[in-house]
Amino acid sequence: MKKIILSALITMLVISCQNSSSSETGTDEEGKPQIVCTTGMLGDMVQHLMGDSAEVKVLMGPGVDPHLYKATQGDIRLLTDAQAIVYNGLHLEGKMGSIFDKLQKQKAVIAAGDMVSPGRLINSTSFAGAHDPHIWFDVSIWIEAMDGVSRELQKLYPDWKNYIQKNQMAYRQELEELHNFCISKIRSIPDSQRVMITAHDAFKYFGRAYNMEVRGLQGISTTAEYGLQDVTELVNYISSKKIKALFVESSVPKRSIEAVIEGCQGKEHPVQLGGELFSDAMGSAGTPEGTYTGMVRHNVNTIVNALR
Amino acid sequence: MDKLLEFLSFQDPNVRTVTFGTIFLGMSAATVGTFAFLRKRSLVGDAVAHAILPGIAIAFMLFQTKNPFVLMSGALISGWIAMLLIEHLSKATKLKPDTAIGLVLSVFFGIGILLLTSIQHSGAGNQAGLDQFLFGKAASMTRSDLLAYGIVALILLMAVILFFKEFKVLSFNPDFAQASGLPVKRLQFILSTITVLAISIGIQSVGVVLMAALLITPAATARSWTESLLVMMVLAAIAGGLSGLVGSYISFAAPNMPTGPWIVMCLSFLALFSLFFAPKKGVVARIRQQQQNRKKILSENLLKTFYHLRENNPSSRTFSREELLEKRPFSDTEYNTALGRLRKQFYLIPEGHNWSLSEKGYEEAKRVVRLHRLWEMYLTERMRLKADHIHPNAETIEHIITPEIEEQLLRELDYPETDPHHSPIPYPRK
Amino acid sequence: MNIDAPALEVHNLTASYNRKPVLWDIDFQLPQGQLIGIVGPNGSGKTTLLKNIMGLMEPDSGYVNLFGKKLNDIRERVSYVPQRESVDWDFPANVFEVVQMGRYRKNNLFKRMTARDREITTQSLEKVNMLEYAKRQISQLSGGQQQRVFIARSLAQQADLYLMDEPFVGVDAATEESILNLLTEMKKEGKTVIIVHHDLQTAYEYFDWIVLLNTRLVASGPKDEVFTSNLLQEAYGGRLTVLSRIGDLIAKKDFPIRESNFKEKEGQGDG
């Protein structure tokens, strides 16, 4: 009996060793390099840039809040095995911070936020010296980030430089169309209604780029606490400006928004729930909202329909 | 000030909901917490609060809803299992009770965190909200929440009113209750159930981590203000409700202030206040009592000094400060304190720069001396102490002996005439 | 010996405490209307015996009859006075409230105390000379006063059989006298009082009937029959070594004391 257990244990040990040796090179079974991204938006970007030539894995799926996300053992394994890592930076992945610093020494770790010229970043009011990380909501900034990531990827895979550049051009065109779409669509909302109320302050870049006022109940990070005053002030703001609708987010608990709606009803101002926006995470894979462009389009359409 | 008036006007619907909600929750938790406190089950309450987390997570995973009744049922089941486990673990195994409590607390809590984190990772991020369970989500309370808590609070109250005397005897002497034929197992079941219920709704206000405070602190605070169980429970409920009110106000008056932790801060403040200012048991009261004792001792010693001086010089009645201090060395402050007290009590009469005892004062001086000498007799006769060992002892005890004990002493010693040093024992003038 | 209409009958009782058997095959009967003392050295199982009789613990085997019936059928005729230190006296209640607990019964679960209840409580307090302390907080009582409160509570139950656990421990002379007078009264009224007692010397003075216990029954009978040097030596001369070791083994190895199919039948044992 003991011999059987012993040989089983040894077999398991051998098998697990096998696994790690093949992925030490950071490639999958077909020999394609593995690139791990944190958010879905980044995954989408990198997939567009690398096309078929790389296997892109995303840590945070639909509905996952990157501010609160804590890496699991499986995630650490993925990150250590990857050839390259692309993360948002600017403290979006608040609870994963030191991991990227450590991995920097072993492999290519690209922070999308670093690719954007600092002058274009919004300063955070609550955390001194820190920036608002939600850069993907200004499509023009996202384009700049993509350019930067593309440059880094070309450095990493010089053999594929032309291929990546071609993809970059194609995607750039798509994104510029998207940017214009946003500008014109949002313009159709009357001035007085151009206010976007959400659960947390994810949309500051969006507001600045497309000329909308944005307010969130919680601050820039969902780790921030909110109290009764924050709720009542928001209620007063919405009621006094007679704003028609507010929005929940796919990755943040709805409860706070529900309390605000109830408060407004109590103040005789029937504000509506305008719909669900994708703020820090995209929609489910396979749906149109499961891509970056689809997600932005969905948000814009939802906002416009609710507020027009 | 404006903020305060605005708050108290209760015009804002969110203010109304949140404030009433936290008040109800605070009051329910404090009411059942009184019994947990008296039965010395405070730690179990903490364990149960942590243990309801997996119940909530599983209820959510099974039914995919945030309906408060569904989640509360999950919490109830999980809390109940934890409670049963704690009880039977120490009986069935060699584990000590505190080990059982710690074990159940950490294992259940760990499982709960695991489940909630996996819910978060699975993309139902807009549903679960881990943080909110850990520290409470009072600020975003809705009317339907309020209704749920109100109903539960009512059930709790009814149970406590109905079974008040049974819970009382259960907390004081469960063996006697069982021997008297009371259905102790069923009563314990009811008490445990309403405790878990109170915890299940209470965490909406202050969260799992701080729930123990909401349960126990009000009772602990109330204990030192009364010796009646009913009054203690009412005071605890008031403390619990008041903290809800103040916590909500602070959350209203300042930005980014979560309600739950402030409620607990308020409770802690009340407890600290109680610690210092409770009558008789509080620190301040005890210090004052000690000061009174010291003054009493000093003034009685001064009286004795007068008596001793008179004893040695039967013709003198009036004595100077120097004479008194020579007979017994007081410090300046001590002398003045004693003198002041004796004057206030009209035991002393001033004679120029000197002093003499009044009629009352003389009788009182005799009393203290009598007690001293009686006690010395008791020590030598009953406790067989040697005559040269007894003086310091008597110096202390003479100030404590009450008239009742004096009576007893006199009877036991049969009204002795002298003490072990052959000094006469002064009896009151008839 | 066989007694007609015994107040208490203990039949082949074996009971454990913390899985170690502390009572082996205890078998005796006690007559009505007497003051009975149960004495034995520390650890002899006296309190365990009392708790088994009162249904607070389950025996491993054997049974108990009170006035010929099972406890649950006769509870209103039996009253229990626990050890004074089994309770935390720092509880918010006054003397009257505690004594009144003696009036709580299954059948008045949801009802309030009546005037009759209050009357009986008052009378019970008077019988132990504690009426003047009725409003006093129990935390402020001396040991003897606490003991008298417990006894008053028991009296309020108006039972016929009283079981008291070490009521004379740590009480002052006044309380001792008070309790003894009370016991004499109770005997006159035909009550039966069984007292687990801690002190051998006073046992002879206080009681009519003595039960000598040391994990097994040493003797049970009128005091003059029991207080012989042989029997006292046997009771107080130390534990039975072999029995003690068997007890340790049972506790350590979780051995059952009776085979599981064995059901105790009332009446004659066989084989």
Side-chain angles (χ1 to χ4, degrees):
Chain A
M1 189 54 191
K2 284 192 192 161
K3 283 203 191 136
I4 300 177
I5 296 176
L6 198 58
S7 33
L9 277 172
I10 293 177
T11 317
M12 288 202 306
L13 227 74
V14 170
I15 293 177
S16 50
C17 288
Q18 297 281 33
N19 269 342
S20 44
S21 64
S22 77
S23 41
E24 247 166 36
T25 57
T27 55
D28 66 0
E29 300 91 49
E30 294 167 32
K32 282 201 246 175
Q34 274 196 22
I35 305 182
V36 175
C37 305
T38 50
T39 64
M41 295 76 80
L42 282 170
D44 196 33
M45 176 203 283
V46 172
Q47 188 75 72
H48 271 97
L49 285 174
M50 296 299 290
D52 287 334
S53 54
E55 173 95 13
V56 179
K57 288 212 190 313
V58 171
L59 288 183
M60 304 176 196
V64 175
D65 185 339
H67 298 289
L68 302 177
Y69 189 85
K70 295 195 216 35
T72 64
Q73 275 297 75
D75 295 336
I76 307 278
R77 166 68 78 69
L78 269 177
L79 288 167
T80 32
D81 290 347
Q83 251 192 16
I85 297 173
V86 183
Y87 72 107
N88 191 80
L90 302 173
H91 298 292
L92 176 73
E93 301 92 347
K95 307 227 168 177
M96 287 182 67
S98 51
I99 296 176
F100 300 120
D101 295 332
K102 289 197 193 114
L103 290 171
Q104 193 104 42
K105 308 189 182 108
Q106 301 170 17
K107 58 186 89 242
V109 176
I110 306 168
D114 291 346
M115 305 298 152
V116 179
S117 30
R120 299 185 77 185
L121 296 173
I122 296 180
N123 274 326
S124 160
T125 44
S126 22
F127 304 103
H131 298 287
D132 183 336
H134 302 89
I135 49 179
W136 57 92
F137 278 124
D138 179 343
V139 184
S140 63
I141 294 185
W142 199 237
I143 293 175
E144 192 185 346
M146 183 203 61
D147 288 342
V149 170
S150 172
R151 273 197 306 276
E152 292 298 316
L153 287 173
Q154 289 172 42
K155 270 193 237 162
L156 199 59
Y157 301 106
D159 293 342
W160 296 332
K161 192 163 148 186
N162 290 330
Y163 182 53
I164 295 174
Q165 274 185 352
K166 214 177 65 168
N167 291 335
Q168 179 188 351
M169 291 302 147
Y171 196 43
R172 196 170 221 273
Q173 206 173 352
E174 224 184 294
L175 291 183
E176 277 168 358
E177 271 175 28
L178 181 65
H179 184 62
N180 291 330
F181 167 77
C182 293
I183 295 176
S184 56
K185 213 54 194 326
I186 298 288
R187 210 177 278 157
S188 65
I189 302 175
D191 274 341
S192 60
Q193 284 296 319
R194 266 211 225 131
V195 183
M196 205 167 101
I197 313 275
T198 56
H200 83 294
D201 268 335
F203 293 92
K204 282 203 161 123
Y205 287 97
F206 185 88
R208 187 181 65 175
Y210 306 114
N211 204 8
M212 280 199 80
E213 191 176 334
V214 292
R215 283 183 76 142
L217 182 58
Q218 281 175 284
I220 288 182
S221 167
T222 51
T223 57
E225 299 276 5
Y226 62 92
L228 191 49
Q229 184 180 85
D230 308 294
V231 172
T232 49
E233 276 189 1
L234 197 58
V235 166
N236 289 335
Y237 183 76
I238 296 173
S239 320
S240 57
K241 292 266 168 130
K242 302 238 181 296
I243 297 170
K244 271 166 55 178
L246 45 61
F247 306 91
V248 289
E249 301 169 38
S250 68
S251 53
V252 178
K254 293 192 209 157
R255 186 188 157 96
S256 50
I257 291 292
E258 284 165 359
V260 171
I261 294 177
E262 209 176 82
C264 292
Q265 285 168 348
K267 294 227 167 199
E268 311 279 301
H269 174 72
V271 68
Q272 301 275 10
L273 183 58
E276 185 180 80
L277 299 178
F278 297 100
S279 58
D280 294 351
M282 307 193 304
S284 322
T287 64
E289 296 84 9
T291 63
Y292 171 70
T293 45
M295 159 200 191
V296 175
R297 251 178 239 277
H298 166 93
N299 284 351
V300 170
N301 286 332
T302 309
I303 295 167
V304 170
N305 288 337
L307 293 177
R308 201 173 11 204
Chain B
M1 215 0 106
D2 299 325
K3 268 293 191 199
L4 183 59
L5 292 171
E6 200 187 325
F7 177 76
L8 291 173
S9 68
F10 280 116
Q11 280 181 346
D12 189 301
N14 291 98
V15 168
R16 280 199 300 269
T17 311
V18 171
T19 309
F20 281 124
T22 50
I23 290 179
F24 285 167
L25 292 174
M27 290 176 79
S28 339
T31 306
V32 288
T34 307
F35 295 107
F37 174 79
L38 289 171
R39 295 172 77 206
K40 307 193 199 303
R41 297 271 215 269
S42 309
L43 233 44
V44 176
D46 191 22
V48 169
H50 284 76
I52 62 180
L53 210 56
I56 294 176
I58 294 177
F60 175 77
M61 279 159 61
L62 286 178
F63 297 102
Q64 294 290 322
T65 172
K66 287 183 310 101
N67 181 314
F69 285 111
V70 170
L71 296 184
M72 227 191 297
S73 311
L76 215 90
I77 295 174
S78 172
W80 241 113
I81 295 176
M83 210 177 240
L84 284 174
L85 262 179
I86 291 175
E87 211 134 304
H88 288 117
L89 260 181
S90 45
K91 279 189 207 155
T93 70
K94 289 215 163 96
L95 291 174
K96 299 274 180 289
D98 61 338
T99 316
I101 293 173
L103 211 69
V104 170
L105 190 157
S106 25
V107 169
F108 273 67
F109 188 58
I111 294 177
I113 297 278
L114 204 89
L115 291 173
L116 282 175
T117 310
S118 87
I119 291 176
Q120 228 173 28
H121 282 201
S122 73
N126 66 353
Q127 304 284 357
L130 178 59
D131 274 9
Q132 298 182 335
F133 285 110
L134 291 182
F135 295 109
K137 33 188 170 164
S140 52
M141 217 180 275
T142 57
R143 273 198 304 272
S144 56
D145 292 332
L146 189 59
L147 188 65
Y149 309 155
I151 293 176
V152 174
L154 215 66
I155 296 176
L156 289 183
L157 196 64
M158 280 187 347
V160 168
I161 291 176
L162 209 58
F163 294 108
F164 187 73
K165 64 183 202 294
E166 284 76 21
F167 287 162
K168 181 156 76 164
V169 67
L170 194 66
S171 308
F172 177 62
N173 201 181
D175 274 350
F176 176 76
Q178 192 174 351
S180 305
L182 291 175
V184 163
K185 287 253 181 326
R186 257 171 273 173
L187 288 168
Q188 278 174 341
F189 176 79
I190 295 173
L191 190 53
S192 302
T193 305
I194 61 175
T195 307
V196 178
L197 256 179
I199 293 175
S200 306
I201 59 172
I203 60 157
Q204 314 286 333
S205 169
V206 295
V208 159
V209 176
L210 298 173
M211 185 62 212
L214 201 64
L215 198 67
I216 300 298
T217 316
T221 306
R223 181 70 187 90
S224 23
W225 293 82
T226 176
E227 293 291 341
S228 152
L229 179 58
L230 185 60
V231 174
M232 177 182 168
M233 207 173 74
V234 170
L235 285 179
I238 292 177
L242 189 66
S243 312
L245 183 70
V246 173
S248 301
Y249 172 65
I250 294 177
S251 184
F252 175 74
N256 297 118
M257 289 296 184
T259 323
W262 275 106
I263 293 177
V264 174
M265 283 296 289
C266 181
L267 280 173
S268 312
F269 177 75
L270 285 174
L272 211 65
F273 179 81
S274 181
L275 183 74
F276 278 97
F277 297 106
K280 276 193 254 168
K281 295 190 191 170
V283 169
V284 166
R286 300 227 310 259
I287 291 179
R288 198 177 296 150
Q289 176 68 30
Q290 283 167 9
Q291 281 174 343
Q292 303 275 47
N293 289 348
R294 237 177 313 215
K295 279 198 200 147
K296 179 177 194 277
I297 290 173
L298 287 174
S299 51
E300 286 185 352
N301 286 344
L302 189 57
L303 278 176
K304 278 198 311 179
T305 315
F306 271 95
Y307 185 87
H308 290 142
L309 285 173
R310 276 170 70 148
E311 221 178 8
N312 293 344
N313 311 318
S315 49
S316 325
R317 290 293 160 97
T318 310
F319 303 99
S320 67
R321 184 165 178 273
E322 292 71 33
E323 287 174 285
L324 289 164
L325 287 180
E326 202 198 318
K327 187 72 179 164
R328 188 189 192 99
F330 289 93
S331 77
D332 279 341
T333 355
E334 289 173 345
Y335 177 77
N336 290 331
T337 310
L339 203 69
R341 198 157 187 265
L342 291 179
R343 286 187 68 181
K344 247 195 262 177
Q345 295 171 298
F346 299 111
Y347 288 157
L348 288 183
I349 304 175
E351 314 256 358
H353 288 297
N354 300 338
W355 302 94
S356 72
L357 289 178
S358 67
E359 193 71 42
K360 260 174 73 175
Y362 186 57
E363 289 300 307
E364 180 66 12
K366 281 201 316 195
R367 184 187 71 87
V368 185
V369 172
R370 175 169 68 248
L371 292 180
H372 181 107
R373 293 178 179 170
L374 276 176
W375 187 248
E376 287 191 335
M377 282 304 283
Y378 188 79
L379 289 175
T380 39
E381 299 213 341
R382 290 322 190 83
M383 288 172 63
R384 300 185 173 279
L385 293 178
K386 300 252 166 56
D388 48 353
H389 279 66
I390 53 183
H391 184 71
N393 188 313
E395 277 288 294
T396 318
I397 303 294
E398 69 195 359
H399 303 289
I400 287 186
I401 299 177
T402 61
E404 278 171 358
I405 299 180
E406 186 188 341
E407 274 283 326
Q408 236 176 324
L409 271 177
L410 287 169
R411 270 183 280 135
E412 282 228 18
L413 299 168
D414 200 20
Y415 298 84
E417 305 254 316
T418 53
D419 76 357
H421 307 290
H422 303 293
S423 314
I425 296 183
Y427 282 93
R429 180 194 299 239
K430 281 293 177 265
Chain C
M1 75 181 71
N2 260 329
I3 303 175
D4 283 336
L8 175 71
E9 184 191 345
V10 175
H11 184 87
N12 279 355
L13 190 80
T14 300
S16 302
Y17 184 74
N18 279 343
R19 286 181 298 162
K20 178 170 170 170
V22 293
L23 293 172
W24 282 95
D25 281 312
I26 308 291
D27 197 301
F28 64 88
Q29 295 173 332
L30 298 176
Q32 293 188 31
Q34 302 221 4
L35 300 177
I36 299 154
I38 301 180
V39 284
N42 280 335
S44 53
K46 307 195 294 286
T47 297
T48 307
L49 177 61
L50 216 59
K51 288 199 165 177
N52 270 283
I53 295 172
M54 284 314 299
L56 296 172
M57 291 169 84
E58 285 292 307
D60 294 317
S61 75
Y63 62 85
V64 171
N65 279 342
L66 300 119
F67 297 116
K69 300 213 174 97
K70 290 283 172 255
L71 177 63
N72 276 328
D73 300 328
I74 199 112
R75 249 190 229 273
E76 63 297 344
R77 292 180 68 190
V78 186
S79 177
Y80 173 60
V81 181
Q83 282 190 12
R84 191 158 46 85
E85 2 156 283
S86 64
V87 150
D88 182 358
W89 289 88
D90 191 18
F91 188 87
N94 63 31
V95 165
F96 194 87
E97 286 175 335
V98 173
V99 176
Q100 201 178 56
M101 287 178 188
R103 301 301 302 160
Y104 297 176
R105 289 288 186 195
K106 199 164 174 176
N107 57 17
N108 61 14
L109 266 184
F110 304 120
K111 307 194 190 121
R112 308 181 57 145
M113 292 277 100
T114 62
R116 176 98 185 103
D117 290 323
R118 280 190 287 278
E119 198 185 321
I120 294 173
T121 307
T122 310
Q123 287 167 357
S124 309
L125 275 170
E126 179 62 17
K127 286 191 198 159
V128 297
N129 299 321
M130 286 288 289
L131 190 53
E132 57 184 297
Y133 297 96
K135 290 298 173 193
R136 178 94 43 113
Q137 293 311 313
I138 57 178
S139 52
Q140 295 176 342
L141 298 177
S142 71
Q145 291 171 330
Q146 288 171 350
Q147 191 61 62
R148 281 188 272 162
V149 167
F150 258 13
I151 294 181
R153 182 178 67 175
S154 180
L155 290 175
Q157 296 191 305
Q158 300 191 308
D160 294 316
L161 173 63
Y162 292 82
L163 292 118
M164 306 190 184
D165 200 344
E166 304 200 345
F168 290 100
V169 166
V171 301
D172 53 88
T175 301
E176 191 187 339
E177 198 182 321
S178 171
I179 299 177
L180 286 172
N181 288 339
L182 181 66
L183 290 177
T184 318
E185 277 284 320
M186 290 167 79
K187 186 174 164 189
K188 271 199 214 135
E189 292 169 18
K191 311 285 184 195
T192 310
V193 186
I194 302 173
I195 294 183
V196 166
H197 196 61
H198 66 293
D199 178 51
L200 190 57
Q201 285 173 310
T202 41
Y204 188 81
E205 212 186 299
Y206 294 169
F207 306 114
D208 310 315
W209 185 288
I210 304 273
V211 174
L212 273 180
L213 198 66
N214 187 347
T215 305
R216 79 281 181 200
L217 184 74
V218 175
S220 169
K223 63 181 173 186
D224 287 316
E225 284 178 29
V226 169
F227 257 67
T228 68
S229 51
N230 282 354
L231 290 174
L232 287 174
Q233 172 70 7
E234 207 190 314
Y236 280 82
R239 296 259 185 106
L240 287 181
T241 325
V242 175
L243 194 65
S244 192
R245 287 176 69 178
I246 301 248
D248 283 333
L249 269 178
I250 289 180
K252 285 218 182 80
K253 290 190 188 247
D254 252 332
F255 220 75
I257 297 184
R258 285 281 186 276
E259 290 166 34
S260 49
N261 289 329
F262 187 90
K263 273 210 156 49
E264 185 65 65
K265 283 201 279 281
E266 300 216 10
Q268 297 286 10
D270 39 19

